C-alpha cells in the first residue's frame, strides 16, 4: 500500500535531509574507513598465535620493536606489548583518509576548531573528552609499512574467519552528550541509533563508529571492534575459540557474534552477507 505524505510532513523530511547534509559538509574528517585498530597485549606471542589462527598469516613485524601488523582486508590490526603498568586493552583506533595531503587538510581543520591534536601532517591523533586516542592517517597503509618486514609463522591452515575489512568500532564514554557533540564535529551527524537505550552511530566511510553509554564500574575506553567476515560455521568456530582459551559461546539463535580473546580483549565478527553499515 502506498504511503501518503502531506506537504507539512514532506517539508519536515526535506528539512531533516538538508540538516544531515549540512552536518556532513561541516564534518572535520571524511574518512574512507577505520584503517586500523591497535591492541596492547600482555603476551605478544600468545596474541599472535591467536590472531593468526583467526585472520590468517599476512603479518609484518616492526624492525625495531615487537609490534606486529596483521592484514584485515584493506585494513589491519596493530598488536604490541602493553607498556609497564598499562592495562591490556584496545589502545587506539585510526581513521583512514584518502591521502597524505588530506591528512594535512584534516589536521588544519581540527586545530582550527580548537580540538586537542598531537602529531604531524603525515598522521596525527585527536584526544576525545575521555582521553581516548583517535588517530588520523592515510588509508591503504597495509602494503606501505616502511619500517616493517613480512614475518613467517602460523600453522599454514586456513584462517578461522576470512576477513573482508573492519565493520565497526564502539567506544564507551563518560558523558554521552559531550561525546556526541565532539564526534559530531569530527564525523558529521548521527546516522542512526542502536541498542536500548538508543546509542548513536556515526559514518566512518565503509565502517561505522558508535558510542556506548557509561556503565558503573567500567572506565571510558574503546569497548570493542568488529571485523567483517565471510560466512562461517559458528559451532565449529566456538569450539576452536574455546580450545584456544577465548571466552566464546553460541547465541540463542545459533550464531556467533562476539567473544573475548585469551587476554580479555572484546571483539566481534559481522557477516558480510547480512551485515550493513
Amino acid at each position: 500500500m502506498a504511503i501518503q505524505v502531506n506537504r507539512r510532513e514532506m517539508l519536515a523530511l526535506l528539512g531533516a535531509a538538508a540538516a544531515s547534509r549540512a552536518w556532513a559538509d561541516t564534518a572535520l574528517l571524511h574518512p574512507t574507513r577505520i584503517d586500523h585498530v591497535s591492541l596492547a597485549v600482555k603476551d605478544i606471542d600468545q596474541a599472535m598465535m591467536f590472531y593468526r589462527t583467526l585472520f590468517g598469516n599476512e603479518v609484518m613485524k616492526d624492525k625495531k620493536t615487537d609490534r606486529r601488523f596483521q592484514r584485515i582486508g584493506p585494513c589491519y590490526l596493530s598488536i604490541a606489548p602493553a607498556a609497564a603498568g598499562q592495562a591490556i586493552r584496545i589502545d587506539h583506533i585510526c581513521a583512514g583518509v584518502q591521502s597524505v595531503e588530506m591528512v594535512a587538510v584534516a589536521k588544519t581543520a581540527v586545530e582550527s576548531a580548537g580540538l586537542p591534536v598531537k602529531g604531524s601532517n603525515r598522521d596525527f591523533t585527536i584526544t576525545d573528552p575521555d582521553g581516548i586516542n583517535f588517530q588520523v592517517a592515510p588509508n591503504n597503509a597495509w602494503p606501505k609499512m616502511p619500517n616493517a618486514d613480512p614475518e613467517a609463522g602460523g600453522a599454514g591452515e586456513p584462517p578461522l574467519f576470512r576477513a573482508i575489512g573492519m565493520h565497526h568500532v564502539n567506544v564507551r564514554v563518560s558523558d554521552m552528550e559531550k561525546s556526541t557533540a565532539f564526534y559530531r564535529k569530527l564525523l558529521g551527524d548521527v546516522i542512526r541509533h542502536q541498542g536500548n537505550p538508543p546509542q548513536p552511530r556515526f559514518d566512518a566511510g565503509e565502517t561505522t563508529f558508535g558510542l556506548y553509554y557509561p556503565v558503573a564500574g567500567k572506565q571510558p575506553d574503546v569497548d570493542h571492534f568488529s571485523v567483517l567476515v565471510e560466512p562461517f560455521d559458528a559451532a565449529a568456530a566456538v569450539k576452536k575459540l574455546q580450545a584456544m582459551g577465548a571466552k566464546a559461546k553460541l547465541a540463542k539463535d545459533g550464531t556467533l557474534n562476539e567473544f573475548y580473546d585469551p587476554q580479555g580483549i572484546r571483539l566481534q565478527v559481522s557477516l558480510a552477507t547480512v551485515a550493513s553499515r
Side-chain angles (χ1 to χ4, degrees), residues 10 26 61 80 105 108 128 137 139 142 152 163 172 199 202 228 239 256:
M10 180 60 73
T26 58
K61 183 183 181 301
V105 170
T108 298
D128 85 352
N139 67 358
W142 168 256
R172 190 173 303 283
Q199 297 162 107
F202 298 87
L228 188 65
K239 185 176 180 180
L256 171 67

Side-chain angles (χ1 to χ4, degrees), residues 186-262:
L186 288 185
L187 301 171
D189 201 11
V190 175
I191 57 173
R192 68 173 181 269
H193 289 81
Q194 283 187 199
N196 186 22
Q199 297 162 107
R201 297 186 77 89
F202 298 87
D203 189 344
E206 298 170 0
T207 50
T208 54
F209 177 83
L211 303 182
Y212 278 168
Y213 276 102
V215 171
K218 288 191 175 183
Q219 296 295 317
D221 210 344
V222 183
D223 182 82
H224 72 270
F225 65 96
S226 180
V227 175
L228 188 65
V229 300
E230 294 180 2
F232 61 91
D233 183 330
V238 167
K239 185 176 180 180
K240 181 70 171 181
L241 288 167
Q242 291 175 341
M244 292 189 293
K247 182 180 177 182
K249 65 179 182 179
L250 287 174
K252 291 180 179 179
D253 62 359
T255 62
L256 171 67
N257 173 239
E258 70 174 31
F259 50 94
Y260 291 81
D261 79 4

Side-chain angles (χ1 to χ4, degrees), residues 137-209:
N139 67 358
N140 296 323
W142 168 256
K144 305 171 187 175
M145 302 288 185
N147 299 308
D149 292 323
E151 182 181 61
E157 299 177 357
L160 190 57
F161 306 111
R162 296 192 180 275
I164 297 171
M166 292 294 175
H167 183 260
H168 68 264
V169 177
N170 274 33
V171 169
R172 190 173 303 283
V173 304
S174 63
D175 185 320
M176 181 60 78
E177 184 176 354
K178 182 184 292 186
S179 291
T180 299
F182 178 87
Y183 284 106
R184 265 181 165 157
K185 288 182 181 179
L186 288 185
L187 301 171
D189 201 11
V190 175
I191 57 173
R192 68 173 181 269
H193 289 81
Q194 283 187 199
N196 186 22
Q199 297 162 107
R201 297 186 77 89
F202 298 87
D203 189 344
E206 298 170 0
T207 50
T208 54
F209 177 83

Side-chain angles (χ1 to χ4, degrees), residues 28-30 97 101-111 124 136:
L28 299 173
L29 302 178
H30 297 88
V97 296
E101 291 76 18
M102 287 301 296
V103 174
V105 170
K107 183 170 182 285
T108 298
V110 172
E111 289 174 330
F124 65 92
V136 180

